[in-house]
Amino acid sequence: MFGSLFVVPFYLERGLGQSVGRAGLELTVMPIALGLTAPFAGRQAERLGARPLTVTGMLLAAASMGLLATVNGSSGVIIAELALLGVGLGMFTPPNNAAIMGSAPPEQAGVASGVLNMTRGMGTAMGLAVTSLVFGLFAGSQEASATMTTKGFEASAIFLGVVALAAMGLAALRGSASLNLDPVASAE
């Protein structure tokens, strides 16, 4: 979903004609919503398990990207769509990380943490690269017009929505629905 951090500013600046500063301020809504949601999701994961939160989080992220791609609205609408994306990512990330770490034997926690961090970094890089490719294919090269920038953004948002739906499907198919956050119990 880091691809959205790349294409949203282009859309806000070139597609909607906003200043760089205003686009940056509007974009901050997403990480703020993520930061406010993540602690709640982490606490709920202990009670509900990872699956319902990760599935719901990716559903919200996909819905947000779908809305961003199809609802060309005012700044208020875009801010709400970005906030929804942040909430979805905030619901997904902590339970997903806890489920991954909880599935590793305690003696392999360092390895699991390293693999988790490596895959997150690879996902960030690949997400940016592929989203940039989709954006470029639909927006054209060099100085794209506002219309072409919007087309590139819409295609990228649809692509990211499909990726979020795929992640939702994988989260729904995950092994156990409950988290094993007790290292003593997992060793037994």
Side-chain angles (χ1 to χ4, degrees):
M1 295 311 294
F2 283 99
S4 64
L5 292 174
F6 177 76
V7 296
V8 169
F10 279 110
Y11 174 61
L12 294 175
E13 293 169 34
R14 290 188 181 174
L16 299 181
Q18 293 183 2
S19 70
V20 173
R22 182 172 174 172
L25 282 174
E26 287 187 18
L27 195 59
T28 62
V29 171
M30 186 176 66
I32 289 170
L34 189 153
L36 292 174
T37 305
F40 165 77
R43 285 190 299 274
Q44 292 305 308
E46 293 175 2
R47 192 169 66 82
L48 302 172
R51 185 178 297 147
L53 293 164
T54 56
V55 169
T56 303
M58 281 296 101
L59 179 63
L60 292 175
S64 170
M65 295 313 296
L67 289 170
L68 280 164
T70 59
V71 178
N72 296 324
S74 65
S75 288
V77 171
I78 292 168
I79 288 171
E81 293 164 346
L82 291 172
L84 181 63
L85 178 59
V87 168
L89 295 175
M91 286 183 72
F92 174 82
T93 305
N96 186 61
N97 292 350
I100 291 168
M101 293 304 298
S103 67
E107 64 274 6
Q108 296 294 314
V111 173
S113 176
V115 170
L116 175 63
N117 196 33
M118 178 195 65
T119 56
R120 184 181 301 122
M122 288 174 57
T124 299
M126 290 299 296
L128 287 170
V130 175
T131 304
S132 299
L133 175 65
V134 171
F135 182 86
L137 288 173
F138 286 86
S141 61
Q142 305 282 317
E143 289 294 319
S145 69
T147 301
M148 294 307 291
T149 297
T150 299
K151 288 183 186 302
F153 173 73
E154 289 169 350
S156 299
I158 290 167
F159 166 74
L160 291 171
V162 169
V163 169
L165 289 174
M168 182 187 78
L170 291 173
L173 295 173
R174 173 187 320 251
S176 172
S178 63
L179 291 178
N180 184 5
L181 299 175
D182 182 5
V184 175
S186 65
E188 294 173 349

